[in-house]
Amino acid sequence: MNEEIKEFLESYKMKNVPDTVYYIPNFISEEEETNIVNKVSNSPLPKWTQLSNRRLQNWGGIPHPKGMIAETIPDWLQNYVEKVEKLSVFQKPIRPNHVLINEYLQGQGIMPHLDGPLFYPTVTTISCGSHTVLDFYSQRSDSVTDAQDIPMQTDEKEVSNQKMFSLLVERRSLLVLQDDMYSKYLHGIAEVCDDVISDDLANLHQTGQSFKMGERLNRDTRISLTIRHVPKTTKLKINFIR
């Protein structure tokens, strides 16, 4: 990592939460956001996987304990993968090779979970279309916390973990989780239609715009691009024309 990138990342590192969280507001432009939303919305219906509380798309392959059969990520999406890769949050020679796209309608969310061992321990997320609030929890010693955000692992289990803090994730922002924040703290999104600005939001001093305490923000449809590296892939590589 060169010094310029290192200084850039350090300026967005959160100091008031466990290691490591980077929150970068306005990581993409409004034009880029519109392009992402349009591309995702116009994806062929078979590309979508419908879950009980949201729907999603896998690009680059479908992660599996036995290995992911690699697929070529289309150029429009690869542009954003490379934009994240340039930050060097994935240690070379590690390169992101998978994108999970989630669509959350107003009132939809995801139960507290860890992303799990199928991925290199760094998760990066670009948000489009709407803000959300991401809640973080400490683990109970008997909690089941394997990855809960891919189709073959949808057995989300209700767990009573202690909420530690929350982050206001703005549209067009990039969120990076590493180290203990990847492996020890569960993250989830409550199934609500709006959010109230409060002291529980640990990144209010780092957001792209100013908010007033008690202000209520209405959620809209949110598209998230979760960009990660799947270490275990098969030698077979599939190219699709989309």
Side-chain angles (χ1 to χ4, degrees):
M1 182 186 301
N2 65 44
E3 286 301 317
E4 184 178 354
I5 293 176
K6 186 176 180 180
E7 290 179 8
F8 174 83
L9 276 178
E10 190 64 24
S11 68
Y12 291 104
K13 182 179 179 181
M14 294 191 60
K15 305 297 195 296
N16 56 338
V17 298
D19 280 341
T20 300
V21 179
Y22 299 104
Y23 179 74
I24 306 176
N26 298 310
F27 180 71
I28 60 171
S29 67
E30 292 185 16
E31 183 179 0
E32 288 175 310
E33 178 187 37
T34 298
N35 177 61
I36 290 170
V37 171
N38 288 340
K39 288 290 188 180
V40 172
S41 299
N42 292 325
S43 297
L45 191 59
K47 189 63 184 175
W48 289 100
T49 298
Q50 183 68 55
L51 304 183
S52 60
N53 55 353
R54 68 193 185 285
R55 62 176 185 164
L56 56 80
Q57 301 177 13
N58 276 281
W59 295 93
I62 297 180
H64 191 278
K66 294 183 178 180
M68 180 178 77
I69 298 176
E71 301 173 7
T72 300
I73 296 175
D75 289 344
W76 72 265
L77 189 54
Q78 184 64 28
N79 289 337
Y80 302 105
V81 173
E82 292 175 359
K83 188 169 185 174
V84 169
E85 184 180 1
K86 288 177 181 178
L87 295 177
S88 298
V89 292
F90 296 90
Q91 297 297 319
K92 291 184 178 180
I94 300 298
R95 302 187 66 185
N97 60 358
H98 181 263
V99 184
L100 179 71
I101 297 179
N102 277 297
E103 179 194 69
Y104 296 92
L105 303 180
Q106 187 183 50
Q108 292 183 333
I110 184 170
M111 294 186 69
H113 66 280
L114 295 179
D115 284 15
L118 293 185
F119 304 98
Y120 178 83
T122 291
V123 56
T124 67
T125 303
I126 298 173
S127 293
C128 302
S130 177
H131 82 281
T132 196
V133 168
L134 194 61
D135 301 316
F136 291 87
Y137 302 81
S138 61
Q139 296 183 56
R140 284 186 351 193
S141 60
D142 59 343
S143 295
V144 177
T145 56
D146 285 340
Q148 301 290 338
D149 59 353
I150 54 179
M152 80 280 302
Q153 294 174 309
T154 57
D155 55 335
E156 297 176 356
K157 298 186 179 182
E158 186 172 355
V159 291
S160 299
N161 299 287
Q162 181 181 359
K163 182 178 173 181
M164 304 297 292
F165 62 90
S166 301
L167 297 179
L168 177 61
V169 181
E170 299 167 285
R171 55 192 298 183
R172 298 187 294 279
S173 67
L174 175 72
L175 179 66
V176 181
L177 304 178
Q178 295 178 318
D179 304 316
D180 285 353
M181 289 305 301
Y182 182 93
S183 60
K184 293 185 178 180
Y185 293 89
L186 289 77
H187 55 274
I189 299 173
E191 294 185 332
V192 298
C193 293
D194 54 30
D195 301 284
V196 177
I197 299 298
S198 71
D199 289 331
D200 287 342
L201 300 170
N203 65 325
L204 282 181
H205 63 294
Q206 291 182 232
T207 52
Q209 57 180 308
S210 298
F211 299 94
K212 296 180 180 179
M213 288 296 170
E215 183 178 352
R216 189 174 295 273
L217 306 179
N218 291 319
R219 293 186 188 179
D220 204 338
T221 299
R222 173 174 173 259
I223 301 294
S224 66
L225 276 57
T226 300
I227 299 169
R228 292 175 288 200
H229 173 77
V230 179
K232 190 174 183 180
T233 60
T234 67
K235 294 181 179 180
L236 176 65
K237 188 167 185 178
I238 300 176
N239 291 287
F240 287 97
I241 299 176
R242 296 186 175 92

